[in-house]
Amino acid sequence: MPGEYRSGVNTELLRMQLGSKEPADVPDKVKNNPIPAEGSPADVAMPPDAIIRIKNLKKVFGQNTVLHDVNFYCPKGHVVSVLGPSGSGKSTMLRCINLLETPTAGEIWFEDQLVNSKETDVDALRAKIGMVFQQFNLFPHLTALGNVELALKKVRKLDKEQAKAVAIEQLDKVGLLDRADYLPAQLSGGQAQRVAIARALAMEPHVMLFDEATSALDPSLVRDVLDVMRDLAKSGMTMIVVTHEMAFARDVSDHVVFMEGGVVFEQGTPEKIFDHPDRDRTREFLQGMINE
Ligand SMILES: Nc1ncnc2c1ncn2[C@@H]1O[C@H](COP(=O)(O)OP(=O)(O)OP(=O)(O)O)[C@@H](O)[C@H]1O
Ligand SMILES: [Mg+2]
């Protein structure tokens, strides 16, 4: 399974970027550590049946090119972890997948649909691509149950009884049946995050995106959320997970993408990235994270 991935670094483009047309915001460390010529095919061979395919993704904010050329894919049922230092473009990349940001160039494919196309029905897309944020984003005036029910009524158009039944089932799955009537302010951060996960799962998404879902939590609460994410991965959910949780990335992922300076700097199996990365910068970053 993990072996079917290829390196997603588009060396041709990266060399262009790192050569005469060097963008101002690629860090020195990236410039000084070019991709080895061997072992990094110029193009990512993307299996057409991979549920998410990101090709030559570029994102510019004003004068600032935040994503230069991002290429990777995620087959159905796999977990891809995305690692990288602050500002490397992880959130921007993730947000492009469900059009919270509009890609400047490149292609994002979800199943057989080109996401960044004028024809995309954004609400329908977001129902199929669930997203969990660092800051939960729950409605403060609604109970846990109310938060999970809302999109079931508004987007899936379930009636009151059906929405309640589905919401209860999802809260039960994340271990929060006994907190259904609590408001977000009455929940711990870990519980609030599990409500946010239940809310996303209630839409029956085909893919789940997690953007540092545990970073805002007290260390004591991280485990419950990671356990829910591990169970979800075991159940076969396709997941793209931006995380600083190295043990999670190593144990749960099929594939690890390391981003730096708006490019996929290196990617591969967890064994490769953690045990024998090709590039010094990858090793240095991971060492720093593990020693934290
Ligand atoms: N809406 C925006 N407008 C302008 N610049 C932005 C915007 N969103 C992000 N950026 C810039 O894009 C770069 C990448 O940001 P991004 O949030 O994607 O990084 P990240 O890898 O998720 O970092 P962190 O680990 O801190 O969450 C940063 O330099 C940031 O300032
Ligand atoms: Mg981020």
Side-chain angles (χ1 to χ4, degrees), residues 61 64 66 84-93 101 211-212 244:
F61 289 113
N64 191 12
V66 167
S86 184
S88 57
K90 305 179 300 294
S91 296
T92 305
M93 178 280 292
E101 301 291 357
D211 192 357
E212 297 195 26
H244 290 306

Side-chain angles (χ1 to χ4, degrees), residues 12-132:
E12 208 51 52
L13 270 159
L14 189 65
R15 283 210 189 88
M16 269 169 55
Q17 289 159 7
L18 301 182
S20 54
K21 291 181 190 160
E22 195 165 274
D25 43 358
V26 172
D28 284 340
K29 279 174 182 162
V30 181
K31 293 182 215 164
N32 297 336
N33 194 2
I35 301 258
E38 286 175 20
S40 299
D43 291 304
V44 191
M46 301 242 178
D49 59 345
I51 190 165
I52 295 280
R53 302 180 314 275
I54 300 179
K55 298 184 184 182
N56 305 121
L57 174 64
K58 179 173 178 178
K59 176 66 185 175
V60 178
F61 289 113
Q63 300 291 310
N64 191 12
T65 302
V66 167
L67 300 177
H68 295 279
D69 179 30
V70 172
N71 294 275
F72 72 89
Y73 62 89
C74 183
K76 192 170 163 42
H78 283 210
V79 177
V80 173
S81 289
V82 181
L83 315 178
S86 184
S88 57
K90 305 179 300 294
S91 296
T92 305
M93 178 280 292
L94 213 58
R95 291 165 61 83
C96 283
I97 298 175
N98 67 358
L99 293 183
L100 288 172
E101 301 291 357
T102 308
T104 306
E107 293 177 5
I108 296 179
W109 290 85
F110 164 61
E111 297 174 336
D112 57 0
Q113 183 186 353
L114 179 63
V115 168
N116 51 324
S117 143
K118 284 195 194 92
E119 271 93 68
T120 298
D121 174 341
V122 176
D123 288 338
L125 178 82
R126 291 193 190 140
K128 290 188 204 144
I129 304 181
M131 184 154 179
V132 175

